[in-house]
């Protein structure tokens, strides 16, 4: 078996048990290092930071550790499947780059999920609890945004992904939430206490803006971190800071700065040229049949076009799990439609000569 897992009839678990898999795992580790380094993960969970800040020796050590972590993740995942690969990848056995993207995305999603556990990072866990609160608690209205969930106490209003630049005062100068909920009570993360703080923050922001609006849960989390010492405001500031991310993998900060186009380019970075052409043709020229899409994309027949379109949609769904702000929420269909067309435009622009 070669270092590239390309054989359609191979045993993946057996392949992972051989030393031949290590170069392939290191290749995936490099891609993971680039993506995760820009995701604002807490240092306790992701101690490597950004790859450009590492020395050659540090980068080599990081790749070795990430490769072994990925090996463990893949092995555990595959052992849960009777045939080694999940059903949706049955047709991708001759396309190892699809399998690689599947496991890379799963590994990154696993890291983000761990980051939002109470034992790992209090501020990530706080944000998770705030998202749950506005989605489930009566009296709150939710809407998707570029950086995650937005909320309001009114059913209508402008969607504001961030308040920076709209309000002069720093959050530290706002009325202290400690008068409403003590720090010891906040760190209990009870829904009733968080609801009090969410309502108070929204009313204060609306008073300063002069109009009702939908505000990002991340802004609420940042406000709380400015007043509760048990939350780490330095790490929050690092995660929420705008305009400092470099490159297309700039994560949340760049998504806010550059909008849906950045998210779209991140999504299609793991797609083949054929998949990009099929998605762009199917969406941008919606009157085409699958047979016509296949002909224009240079495929053998409509079944091949259908396969690429299905895989693109599945990748889109997994991507939106990791970026809730880009999810197809029925509360803002226009936002979702705009994102889809941004993806189609990114697919076309990635090969302007076509």
């Amino acid at each position: 078996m070669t270092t590239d897992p390309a054989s359609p009839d191979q045993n993946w678990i057996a392949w992972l048990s051989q030393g031949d898999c290590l170069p392939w795992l290191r290749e995936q580790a490099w891609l993971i290092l680039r993506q995760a380094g820009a995701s604002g993960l807490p240092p306790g969970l992701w101690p490597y930071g950004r790859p450009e800040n590492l020395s050659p020796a540090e980068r080599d050590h990081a790749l070795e550790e990430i490769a072994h972590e990925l090996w463990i993740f893949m092995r555990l995942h595959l052992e849960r499947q009777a045939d080694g690969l999940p059903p949706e990848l049955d047709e991708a056995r001759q396309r190892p780059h699809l399998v690689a993207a599947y496991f890379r995305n799963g590994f990154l999603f696993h890291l983000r999920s761990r980051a939002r556990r109470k034992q790992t990072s209090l501020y990530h866990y706080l944000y998770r609890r705030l998202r749950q609160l506005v989605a489930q608690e009566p009296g709150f209205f939710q809407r998707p945004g570029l950086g995650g969930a937005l909320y309001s106490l009114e059913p209508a209003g402008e969607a504001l992904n961030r308040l920076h630049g709209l309000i002069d005062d720093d959050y530290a100068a706002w009325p202290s939430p400690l008068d409403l909920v003590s720090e010891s009570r906040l760190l209990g993360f009870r829904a009733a206490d968080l609801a009090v703080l969410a309502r108070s923050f929204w009313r204060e922001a609306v008073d300063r803006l002069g109009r009702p609006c939908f505000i990002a849960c991340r802004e609420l989390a940042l406000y709380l971190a400015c007043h509760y010492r048990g939350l780490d405001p330095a790490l929050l500031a690092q995660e929420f800071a705008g305009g400092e991310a470099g490159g297309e993998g700039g994560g949340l900060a760049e998504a806010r700065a550059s909008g849906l186009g950045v998210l779209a380019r991140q999504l299609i970075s793991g797609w083949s040229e054929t998949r990009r052409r099929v998605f762009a043709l199917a969406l941008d020229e919606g009157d085409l049949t699958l047979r016509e899409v296949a002909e224009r994309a240079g495929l053998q027949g409509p079944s091949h076009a259908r396969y690429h379109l299905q895989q693109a949609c599945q990748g889109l769904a997994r991507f939106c799990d990791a970026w809730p702000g880009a999810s197809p929420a029925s509360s803002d269909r226009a936002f979702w439609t705009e994102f889809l067309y941004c993806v189609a435009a990114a697919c076309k622009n990635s090969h302007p000569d076509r």
Side-chain angles (χ1 to χ4, degrees):
M1 193 170 294
T2 65
T3 58
D4 192 354
S7 174
D9 56 353
Q10 66 183 303
N11 184 312
W12 290 83
I13 294 180
W15 180 76
L16 285 173
S17 301
Q18 301 177 13
D20 287 346
C21 70
L22 291 178
W24 183 86
L25 288 170
R26 282 180 63 91
E27 290 177 9
Q28 307 312 311
W30 168 242
L31 297 173
I32 290 171
L33 179 63
R34 292 175 57 190
Q35 288 182 268
S39 297
L41 294 169
L45 183 63
W46 189 256
Y48 315 112
R50 290 177 174 270
E52 61 267 24
N53 297 330
L54 300 176
S55 68
E58 290 172 332
R59 184 165 57 248
D60 189 67
H61 175 70
L63 292 177
E64 194 74 21
E65 289 199 342
I66 297 168
H68 282 89
E69 289 289 330
L70 178 62
W71 183 93
I72 294 172
F73 174 81
M74 289 181 65
R75 181 67 184 253
L76 292 174
H77 191 95
L78 289 167
E79 286 177 348
R80 298 190 189 104
Q81 306 291 334
D83 298 324
L85 277 177
E88 59 266 32
L89 289 181
D90 278 347
E91 297 181 67
R93 291 177 184 270
Q94 293 182 348
R95 299 175 177 86
H97 66 283
L98 297 179
V99 181
Y102 174 85
F103 282 113
R104 283 200 313 271
N105 291 336
F107 185 76
L108 289 166
F109 185 74
H110 172 68
L111 287 175
R112 293 188 185 104
S113 298
R114 287 177 60 194
R116 289 173 181 171
R117 294 175 185 171
K118 188 176 181 180
Q119 298 86 344
T120 305
S121 168
L122 288 178
Y123 72 80
H124 282 88
Y125 181 73
L126 170 66
Y127 171 64
R128 178 183 178 184
R129 291 287 292 122
L130 292 173
R131 281 186 51 201
Q132 293 172 343
L133 173 82
V134 300
Q136 301 170 4
E137 193 77 8
F140 289 97
F141 299 89
Q142 189 182 13
R143 181 181 294 182
L146 292 182
L150 311 178
Y151 81 99
S152 176
L153 302 185
E154 300 283 346
E158 180 184 4
L160 300 177
N161 289 292
R162 44 184 328 191
L163 299 181
H164 180 71
L166 300 176
I167 298 175
D168 294 334
D169 291 340
D170 186 86
Y171 284 145
W174 285 33
S176 173
L178 287 161
D179 296 335
L180 300 173
V181 177
S182 67
E183 179 150 345
S184 61
R185 286 181 63 87
L186 172 75
L187 296 181
F189 299 101
R190 294 175 60 249
D193 294 328
L194 296 178
V196 168
L197 295 173
R199 292 188 179 98
S200 175
F201 175 75
W202 185 85
R203 292 188 179 107
E204 181 70 25
V206 166
D207 285 345
R208 291 168 180 263
L209 291 167
R211 62 189 186 278
C213 57
F214 281 79
I215 299 173
C217 287
R218 293 185 181 276
E219 294 291 333
L220 170 56
L222 182 57
Y223 162 72
L224 295 176
C226 289
H227 293 272
Y228 291 96
R229 299 183 63 182
L231 304 171
D232 193 330
L235 291 177
L236 267 174
Q238 175 184 341
E239 179 180 356
F240 300 146
E244 297 179 2
E248 286 196 357
L252 178 62
E254 186 170 347
R256 287 183 167 188
S258 302
L260 295 179
V262 170
L263 291 181
R265 291 193 295 274
Q266 288 180 4
L267 167 63
I268 69 168
S269 61
W271 290 7
S272 66
E273 178 181 347
T274 300
R275 183 150 305 157
R276 296 182 188 189
R277 296 191 69 195
V278 167
F279 187 86
L281 286 168
L283 191 67
D284 221 25
E285 302 186 40
D287 57 338
L288 295 180
T289 66
L290 284 174
R291 184 174 299 279
E292 290 171 327
V293 169
E295 290 174 355
R296 294 199 185 187
L299 299 174
Q300 292 181 358
S303 62
H304 291 77
R306 181 184 296 107
Y307 168 76
H308 280 288
L309 191 57
Q310 287 175 341
Q311 292 297 310
C313 290
Q314 289 175 9
L316 182 64
R318 286 194 295 269
F319 182 86
C320 289
D321 282 340
W323 292 94
S327 60
S330 59
S331 60
D332 197 342
R333 298 297 296 182
F335 186 94
W336 168 243
T337 302
E338 182 182 355
F339 179 56
L340 287 181
Y341 280 99
C342 280
V343 174
C347 288
K348 290 200 301 183
N349 294 335
S350 62
H351 297 283
D353 56 320
R354 300 266 174 166

